[in-house]
Amino acid sequence: MPRRDGMERKDLLKANVKIFKCQGAALEKYAKKSVKVIVVGNPANTNCLTAAKSAPSIPKENFSCLTRLDHNRAKAQIALKLGVTSDDVKNVIIWGNHSSTQYPDVSHAKVKLQGKEVGVYDALKDDSWLKGEFITTVQQRGAAVIKARKLSSAMSAAKAICDHVRDIWFGTPEGEFVSMGIISDGNSYGVPDDLLYSFPVTIKNKTWKIVEGLTINDFSREKMDLTAKELAEEKETAFEFLSSA
């Protein structure tokens, strides 16, 4: 069920828990255990978790939700600012929820300038923009699209789904990672287990792996914790609805 102008996420959650419980149950009953499930409908992370919980015999690693649209938006904002193409920007990260608490992080991102790869912070030399307006623009882009066309994103979302599926199928290029909402179990970034949280991943043989060893500064830590908190609250609300659905 799509989000309409002026609608609260909680209302959306209630309507969608029922839908994704049914979808999960149908997958459990009829799908191959090797099925790959990609959830796009919002609130995508929690809808994805609901579907996964409703299909206990399918590996939860086979469920992912779309944060590639946010990832692509973050790349585009950097590219616009530097006058390069989106393809010249790599390794941006979307941490957390596909909502306005998501954390678009470019502290590990690289941009190709005059044939050389440079860190985005070094290339832009504008920390206040990167820690301020850049983040809020990406966080609120979905709402801005709804406001402008009275409907949520269409072509950009479709493109992001294609990117997401292509990378699952063919893997990620050497030295590059992408953002994907996946089960948080066993991550090394202090995100609580059993959340559907967006991480930087590499993909090989149709299997994702969280990128390890990225340094997390205090600024990032706070933002990552904030979006985890929202996801934990959403999960709690969804599971209350789930037990009565």
Side-chain angles (χ1 to χ4, degrees):
M1 178 177 165
R3 179 176 165 195
R4 299 276 178 227
D5 208 3
M7 200 174 177
E8 280 298 315
R9 275 178 82 82
K10 211 165 222 189
D11 306 330
L12 201 58
L13 205 55
K14 191 169 189 174
N16 279 306
V17 160
K18 282 188 180 144
I19 296 169
F20 284 86
K21 184 183 182 180
C22 292
Q23 296 294 331
L27 287 161
E28 174 73 7
K29 201 167 170 185
Y30 300 110
K32 284 184 183 177
K33 301 308 170 203
S34 59
V35 66
K36 302 283 190 200
V37 183
I38 293 127
V39 175
V40 178
N42 282 319
N45 301 57
T46 302
N47 286 346
C48 188
L49 189 64
T50 302
K53 292 281 182 193
S54 308
S57 73
I58 295 169
K60 40 190 186 220
E61 293 73 28
N62 291 17
F63 286 83
S64 60
C65 81
L66 192 76
T67 55
R68 186 59 170 266
L69 179 51
D70 310 300
H71 180 99
N72 288 351
R73 286 165 172 166
K75 279 175 63 165
Q77 290 298 320
I78 299 297
L80 280 166
K81 195 84 168 163
L82 286 167
V84 297
T85 69
S86 279
D87 285 343
D88 291 324
V89 182
K90 69 174 192 185
N91 297 353
V92 304
I93 301 167
I94 303 295
W95 298 99
N97 200 359
H98 174 63
S99 76
S100 58
T101 68
Q102 63 173 265
Y103 171 41
D105 176 14
V106 291
S107 35
H108 306 281
K110 302 258 190 288
V111 59
K112 199 183 282 175
L113 290 177
Q114 286 115 29
K116 280 213 307 268
E117 272 194 1
V118 189
V120 164
Y121 268 87
D122 295 336
L124 266 171
K125 296 184 175 57
D126 190 348
D127 291 16
S128 64
W129 182 77
L130 284 170
K131 289 183 167 178
E133 195 188 328
F134 162 71
I135 292 174
T136 51
T137 300
V138 178
Q139 285 175 333
Q140 290 161 17
R141 192 67 177 170
V145 171
I146 290 173
K147 198 165 190 280
R149 51 180 242 117
K150 305 290 175 269
L151 291 163
S152 57
S153 327
M155 185 61 90
S156 57
K159 164 73 165 66
I161 295 163
C162 290
D163 292 345
H164 181 113
V165 174
R166 186 195 60 218
D167 285 343
I168 288 177
W169 199 252
F170 294 110
T172 45
E174 196 60 43
E176 274 187 48
F177 47 78
V178 294
S179 306
M180 206 175 262
I182 50 170
I183 196 73
S184 61
D185 295 5
N187 75 86
S188 62
Y189 291 107
V191 176
D193 283 354
D194 205 37
L195 291 178
L196 220 293
Y197 189 99
S198 180
F199 288 96
V201 298
T202 53
I203 303 163
K204 206 174 179 177
N205 303 326
K206 302 187 178 65
T207 306
W208 55 257
K209 198 167 171 293
I210 295 175
V211 177
E212 297 292 351
L214 298 172
T215 52
I216 305 296
N217 60 25
D218 292 346
F219 179 81
S220 295
R221 180 77 269 158
E222 192 181 324
K223 295 258 185 286
M224 287 163 70
D225 289 347
L226 189 74
T227 190
K229 183 172 176 281
E230 182 184 55
L231 279 169
E233 286 163 6
E234 271 188 27
K235 174 185 156 182
E236 200 180 324
T237 308
F239 286 15
E240 279 165 24
F241 293 145
L242 199 56
S243 51
S244 60

